[in-house]
Amino acid sequence: MWVPLHIMFIKSIVKTNKATGERKEHFRLCESYRSGNTVKHLTIIHLGLLEELPEPEQKRLLGRRIEQLIQQEREGNVLFAPVPPEDIIEQLAQRFYFAIKEKQRIDIASGKDYHIVDVNSLQNKDVREVGIEWLCLQAIEQLQIATFLRNNDWDEELIKLALTHITSRATYPASELRTSQWITQNSAICELTGYPVKKITKDRLYGISHQLYEKKDALEKHLGKRTNDLFDLNDSIIFFDLTNTYYEGVMRNSKIARFGRSKEKRSDARLVVLAVVVNTEGFLKYSNIYEGNKADSKALEHMLEQMSTSTSSVARKPVVVLDAGIATEDNIKLLKKNGYDYMCVSRSGMGKYTVDLESNPIGIFDKKKQIITLQKVKVAGSMDNYLHVHSQAKELKETSMNSRFAERFEDGLKQIKESLGKKSGIKKQAKVSERIGRLKAKYPSTHKYYDINLEANKEGSVTDITWTQKDIEKKDGMYLLRTNLNEKDERTQWKIYNAIREIEYTFRVLKTDLDLRPIYHKSDAASMAHLHLGLLAYWVVNTIRYQLKLKGINNEWNDLVRIMSTQKLVTTTMQNNRNETIRIRKCSEPTEDVQAIYKALKYKSMPFTRKKSVVPPAEIKKSQSTDNDLSLTG
């Protein structure tokens, strides 16, 4: 489990004897603490010259042993056995430990700790968010991202920065500039990861995003295997889909930003396409970034080449579930060629099927207790199996929507017709046809059900417009599922396809909760790194949500962020009767909802219990010169 770094260290101070001019190195055991945005050092005890320990490593071992004794005292299990005369480090450690305890220079009591304090002096300072950050860091520990980076020869400080940025993207998705401000002013993330908050800048955040993107493929495979092992998943069903996101900028020199069909209706902006493979539990198995004009039906072949190394199913290849936009005949043939079973919404017309007389309609209920009717059907010229789906709720929705669009389309035609009778109205046939063309483009799914006729005079002016609605077969709430699976019954087929809602949620989280849309970066490299960082954050989000759903907690991610952000990290200061300043850094107690989330995940509710220090009224002045600190962490 992730824990904060040690805050004790040995500091060396060179002092000069004014009488003789002799310079000697003295040592102090110090503790670092935060005061506002400033990190300060508190001297716990003077260690003297430590002439008994000539080697720097011996001094580090001494400091580490003192800290160990303090920690054992706090946990109530400190034991003191006879010390051999040659073990000088243990002798000194116990001597200094008892001196610290006697002088009450640090909170080491495992029981009650009484002080007489001035209540009016009590202040709460440096309040920071800690709950959602602590939650994400424990999920990151489950995913073993730090272990992966360590195995790839990343140094510890770089790993801490990477974990800081991934957590920040999951909890506060924003630009690198705003993220750096949030880290330094609002969040306790650096206290949890151990990365120096003073080193946080937007440029360092940019840099670590690029370095993480360089490990994209290997990191993706690691995370895919790790989640499968962690949650015993087998990737028997996977979903393939694409989405696009747009740029806020011209991006003229970009190799990937292209004009295309925007799913956000941003035809004025260049796009980039994100393709993902997701399993039924919502975990990413593979992702890729394509040019913005990449058609949905063109990216499947490259993705299939990568899936065999990104999924864990060994008994057979997984069932690939496709949306209708990607389920072209060419892609169906490609799946068959590569030995994949598949399921998709059929692109064939609803009028080309016949009911399978050997099967009966089956009624099932969705999550909202609304009826859905399933019926096996046959499509002429196809060897695949088809399932006719009729949803009453979907029918009502589509009927209402189509009626609304039809009404708006006819209102548009009426406005064009009324313009013919106005003195300054548009009457020329070419201009009128142009207006009708724009109206058709606005309602592409509606205009095809109308016959529109123009009457014009010899001068080429339109005198009248008439329209009639075609007689069409009612198909609202109906569609066909297509599959080459033979052994699956109707309910199983529906259950397989219905799980595609996971990929819909994936894109919703990526685009909205994790701020992948729009892209403000000005270079391809920065855009790639930005999108990849969002995907890494999604791994963290889904690791948490998947485990919570197993326990019946189905909150949206932004709701979980809101709930967990009620847990804060606070520094409380007060003056005691000896005019000493007592400083306590402690997490607030989790609320009932927060505690329920920790319990469901089996996570620790506190990164640390508390950090306490007692600062004397007048601290010793610094000496003339300072040498290197001797870190206890080595």
Side-chain angles (χ1 to χ4, degrees):
M1 190 61 64
W2 186 268
V3 295
L5 294 180
H6 299 289
I7 58 172
M8 289 186 185
F9 59 93
I10 292 180
K11 176 180 286 187
S12 61
I13 305 294
V14 177
K15 293 185 178 182
T16 303
N17 189 314
K18 294 181 179 180
T20 63
E22 184 181 8
R23 293 166 59 85
K24 287 188 177 182
E25 191 175 24
H26 294 248
F27 296 92
R28 300 173 179 175
L29 180 66
C30 297
E31 182 181 28
S32 64
Y33 64 91
R34 182 182 297 278
S35 178
N37 289 327
T38 304
V39 176
K40 296 183 178 181
H41 296 164
L42 170 67
T43 298
I44 298 173
I45 193 170
H46 293 269
L47 303 177
L49 298 176
L50 292 182
E51 294 176 339
E52 305 94 332
L53 307 177
E55 299 297 328
E57 181 60 26
Q58 292 178 303
K59 298 180 180 67
R60 290 192 182 94
L61 291 174
L62 171 65
R64 189 174 300 154
R65 179 56 181 154
I66 296 173
E67 186 178 36
Q68 185 181 39
L69 291 172
I70 292 172
Q71 185 62 34
Q72 289 176 345
E73 176 72 29
R74 285 171 171 164
E75 296 172 357
N77 58 0
V78 62
L79 299 174
F80 296 101
V83 181
E86 65 273 11
D87 194 346
I88 188 63
I89 292 177
E90 182 65 22
Q91 291 178 7
L92 290 173
Q94 291 191 19
R95 190 181 84 193
F96 289 125
Y97 161 74
F98 284 115
I100 292 170
K101 189 174 180 180
E102 182 180 357
K103 295 179 181 180
Q104 298 183 355
R105 295 309 308 274
I106 195 168
D107 178 23
I108 59 175
S110 58
K112 297 180 180 179
D113 184 14
Y114 293 106
H115 289 265
I116 299 175
V117 300
D118 178 6
V119 176
N120 293 327
S121 69
L122 190 145
Q123 291 182 322
N124 291 320
K125 302 177 180 179
D126 196 20
V127 180
R128 290 175 175 263
E129 296 179 9
V130 74
I132 187 62
E133 293 90 335
W134 179 229
L135 194 77
C136 289
L137 275 177
Q138 293 184 83
I140 288 174
E141 180 66 18
Q142 282 185 294
L143 294 173
Q144 297 182 351
I145 294 178
T147 302
F148 169 84
L149 297 176
R150 205 169 283 120
N151 292 339
N152 281 267
D153 300 324
W154 281 39
D155 65 64
E156 289 301 318
E157 185 166 290
L158 207 59
I159 293 173
K160 295 170 195 170
L161 178 58
L163 302 189
T164 299
H165 200 17
I166 294 171
T167 304
S168 300
R169 172 61 67 180
T171 58
Y172 184 79
S175 67
E176 279 73 12
L177 175 60
R178 290 180 60 195
T179 300
S180 66
Q181 294 169 343
W182 176 77
I183 292 173
T184 55
Q185 298 173 16
N186 300 88
S187 175
I189 181 61
C190 283
E191 292 185 59
L192 300 180
T193 62
Y195 188 80
V197 69
K198 286 186 175 181
K199 292 187 177 182
I200 291 290
T201 64
K202 64 179 181 63
D203 293 327
R204 279 197 168 94
L205 296 180
Y206 274 122
I208 198 63
S209 296
H210 286 269
Q211 289 172 282
L212 284 168
Y213 180 66
E214 291 174 3
K215 299 293 182 182
K216 173 189 175 297
D217 291 339
L219 185 51
E220 215 163 50
K221 290 178 182 178
H222 161 78
L223 292 171
K225 184 177 185 304
R226 176 58 185 160
T227 49
N228 284 345
D229 294 343
L230 191 63
F231 303 119
D232 194 23
L233 310 178
N234 58 20
D235 299 334
S236 60
I237 303 170
I238 58 173
F239 305 94
F240 173 76
D241 204 357
L242 298 93
T243 190
N244 52 41
T245 183
Y246 61 91
Y247 284 89
E248 288 289 3
V250 292
M251 299 296 291
R252 289 194 181 93
N253 298 321
S254 172
K255 294 181 180 179
I256 61 171
R258 296 286 186 270
F259 287 107
R261 181 178 173 273
S262 172
K263 296 186 178 181
E264 287 84 36
K265 310 301 182 184
R266 286 298 303 268
S267 57
D268 61 317
R270 284 182 166 88
L271 311 171
V272 64
V273 171
L274 174 64
V276 297
V277 176
V278 181
N279 64 12
T280 53
E281 292 76 21
F283 290 103
L284 296 172
K285 306 310 300 180
Y286 183 74
S287 67
N288 205 4
I289 300 168
Y290 297 102
E291 297 85 354
N293 56 0
K294 191 81 169 181
D296 286 2
S297 59
K298 300 294 184 181
L300 183 60
E301 184 171 8
H302 179 261
M303 301 291 281
L304 288 177
E305 295 174 358
Q306 304 296 325
M307 281 199 298
S308 60
T309 59
S310 302
T311 57
S312 66
S313 181
V314 294
R316 59 177 296 174
K317 290 186 177 180
V319 177
V320 179
V321 182
L322 305 175
D323 200 1
I326 312 170
T328 63
E329 286 300 325
D330 288 341
N331 282 340
I332 295 295
K333 291 177 182 178
L334 183 64
L335 287 170
K336 289 181 178 179
K337 179 182 176 181
N338 286 274
Y340 284 95
D341 290 331
Y342 56 85
M343 179 171 287
C344 61
V345 174
S346 174
R347 293 162 66 101
S348 303
M350 288 291 294
K352 297 182 180 180
Y353 70 88
T354 57
V355 174
D356 186 348
L357 298 178
E358 296 180 1
S359 69
N360 296 315
I362 295 176
I364 61 173
F365 291 95
D366 62 13
K367 292 181 179 180
K368 296 182 180 179
K369 306 301 180 182
Q370 296 168 327
I371 190 68
I372 294 175
T373 304
L374 307 177
Q375 171 75 59
K376 286 186 177 182
V377 297
K378 297 180 179 180
V379 174
S382 176
M383 299 298 293
D384 285 342
N385 297 313
Y386 290 82
L387 190 66
H388 179 274
V389 182
H390 178 213
S391 168
Q392 292 182 2
K394 185 177 177 68
E395 178 182 355
L396 290 173
K397 179 180 177 181
E398 291 181 356
T399 300
S400 174
M401 185 170 59
N402 291 336
S403 298
R404 188 165 61 252
F405 287 158
E407 183 179 348
R408 292 174 183 174
F409 183 72
E410 291 188 18
D411 286 342
L413 291 174
K414 289 176 183 178
Q415 291 178 11
I416 297 173
K417 183 174 182 177
E418 290 172 358
S419 180
L420 302 177
K422 296 179 180 178
K423 184 177 180 179
S424 59
I426 296 175
K427 304 179 182 66
K428 291 295 182 182
Q429 187 170 359
K431 292 293 184 180
V432 173
S433 297
E434 185 178 327
R435 290 188 69 184
I436 293 175
R438 288 199 296 267
L439 184 63
K440 288 181 177 181
K442 189 175 181 181
Y443 299 98
S445 64
T446 304
H447 75 82
K448 59 186 177 181
Y449 299 122
Y450 284 83
D451 286 325
I452 302 173
N453 299 306
L454 303 182
E455 296 180 12
N457 57 26
K458 295 180 180 180
E459 288 78 21
S461 296
V462 178
T463 58
D464 194 18
I465 302 175
T466 59
W467 59 87
T468 57
Q469 192 172 24
K470 300 176 183 178
D471 292 331
I472 56 174
E473 182 184 356
K474 188 176 181 182
K475 301 174 182 176
D476 292 338
M478 303 180 188
Y479 54 94
L480 296 181
L481 293 184
R482 177 181 180 181
T483 181
N484 63 343
L485 292 170
N486 294 315
E487 71 277 11
K488 304 298 183 183
D489 59 28
E490 293 95 324
R491 287 186 173 86
T492 304
Q493 290 181 17
W494 167 251
K495 185 177 180 181
I496 291 173
Y497 181 76
N498 197 45
I500 202 170
R501 300 180 193 278
E502 282 298 336
I503 202 167
E504 295 172 351
Y505 180 79
T506 297
F507 282 135
R508 188 162 66 250
V509 171
L510 286 171
K511 286 185 172 183
T512 305
D513 294 349
L514 300 179
D515 201 33
L516 290 194
R517 178 185 63 190
I519 301 175
Y520 294 94
H521 296 282
K522 305 303 180 186
S523 68
D524 288 350
S527 301
M528 298 284 199
H530 164 78
L531 293 172
H532 179 244
L533 184 67
L535 293 175
L536 288 178
Y538 174 77
W539 279 99
V540 178
V541 171
N542 201 62
T543 298
I544 293 170
R545 287 197 73 250
Y546 173 71
Q547 295 175 92
L548 289 177
K549 284 189 290 184
L550 294 178
K551 299 294 184 178
I553 301 176
N554 296 295
N555 297 71
E556 299 288 329
W557 178 244
N558 55 8
D559 198 35
L560 288 173
V561 172
R562 176 189 60 80
I563 293 171
M564 296 303 303
S565 294
T566 59
Q567 190 176 23
K568 310 291 185 183
L569 187 60
V570 185
T571 295
T572 302
T573 63
M574 63 198 82
Q575 301 294 127
N576 65 13
N577 60 331
R578 291 181 290 187
N579 204 28
E580 296 173 324
T581 300
I582 302 171
R583 181 178 288 105
I584 299 174
R585 185 75 167 156
K586 186 176 181 180
C587 294
S588 63
E589 293 295 323
T591 64
E592 184 177 342
D593 289 341
V594 171
Q595 188 62 51
I597 292 171
Y598 282 132
K599 184 178 180 180
L601 294 168
K602 298 181 179 179
Y603 287 175
K604 290 184 177 179
S605 61
M606 297 267 190
F608 45 82
T609 305
R610 68 172 181 173
K611 299 176 183 177
K612 177 187 171 185
S613 59
V614 180
V615 183
E619 295 189 14
I620 300 174
K621 294 183 179 180
K622 293 184 178 180
S623 301
Q624 293 92 324
S625 59
T626 303
D627 210 340
N628 295 328
D629 294 344
L630 300 178
S631 172
L632 301 189
T633 59

